[in-house]
Amino acid sequence: MNHPFNNADESLELIAHQFRVLGDAQRLRILHCLQTGERTVGEIAELTSASQSNVSKHLSLLRTAGLVGRRQAGNRAYFGITAPFIFDLCNIVCDGTRSRLAREQALLPDY
């Protein structure tokens, strides 16, 4: 017998996986690099000060999660955002973090 929450549980697992993918600073750096348009692995590596193999590993995870796509042009591969909603989510988190930091800073005494 199918449990009535199986589909909801599966959906929650998929959502949790997306958050786990986003829970890495290097992957966030890569997404930030791609916010202005497509880039090659080499370009991303240069912008993030990471090795090309490290960038490739993270791009593979981002592609599997459906956040990044790959386009081949001749002998070059270009990577770009396939889920632009991700930047809305990042902005929400950044705004919340700024607000929290401002509240905490207001509590600090002046010396």
Side-chain angles (χ1 to χ4, degrees), residues 2-3 11 19 33 38 46 49 69 85 88 98 104 108 110:
N2 271 346
H3 192 277
S11 295
F19 278 107
C33 286
E38 294 181 324
E46 187 175 324
S49 300
F85 72 86
D88 295 334
R98 276 189 211 95
E104 290 175 2
L108 294 174
D110 291 327

Side-chain angles (χ1 to χ4, degrees), residues 3-21:
H3 192 277
F5 295 109
N6 280 348
N7 287 338
D9 288 345
E10 289 173 18
S11 295
L12 290 174
E13 284 301 323
L14 288 171
I15 292 166
H17 176 71
Q18 295 280 24
F19 278 107
R20 284 191 297 273
V21 168

Side-chain angles (χ1 to χ4, degrees), residues 8 10 12 27 30 37 43 51 57 73 77 79 88 90 95 97 110:
E10 289 173 18
L12 290 174
R27 287 193 282 274
I30 290 169
E43 291 168 335
S51 69
K57 176 186 80 167
F79 294 86
D88 295 334
C90 287
D95 289 346
T97 301
D110 291 327

Side-chain angles (χ1 to χ4, degrees), residues 45-64:
E46 187 175 324
L47 289 167
T48 61
S49 300
S51 69
Q52 287 191 14
S53 64
N54 182 271
V55 169
S56 292
K57 176 186 80 167
H58 287 295
L59 283 169
S60 177
L61 285 167
L62 291 165
R63 284 182 66 207
T64 300

Side-chain angles (χ1 to χ4, degrees), residues 19 29 48 75 82 86 94 105:
F19 278 107
R29 282 185 205 96
T48 61
N75 63 351
T82 56
I86 203 65
C94 287
Q105 189 173 18

Side-chain angles (χ1 to χ4, degrees), residues 60-103:
S60 177
L61 285 167
L62 291 165
R63 284 182 66 207
T64 300
L67 302 175
V68 169
R70 182 179 186 271
R71 178 180 64 84
Q72 193 72 33
N75 63 351
R76 293 203 123 146
Y78 291 88
F79 294 86
I81 299 297
T82 56
F85 72 86
I86 203 65
F87 299 114
D88 295 334
L89 179 60
C90 287
N91 286 332
I92 290 168
V93 173
C94 287
D95 289 346
T97 301
R98 276 189 211 95
S99 295
R100 189 191 93 229
L101 291 173
R103 284 191 309 273

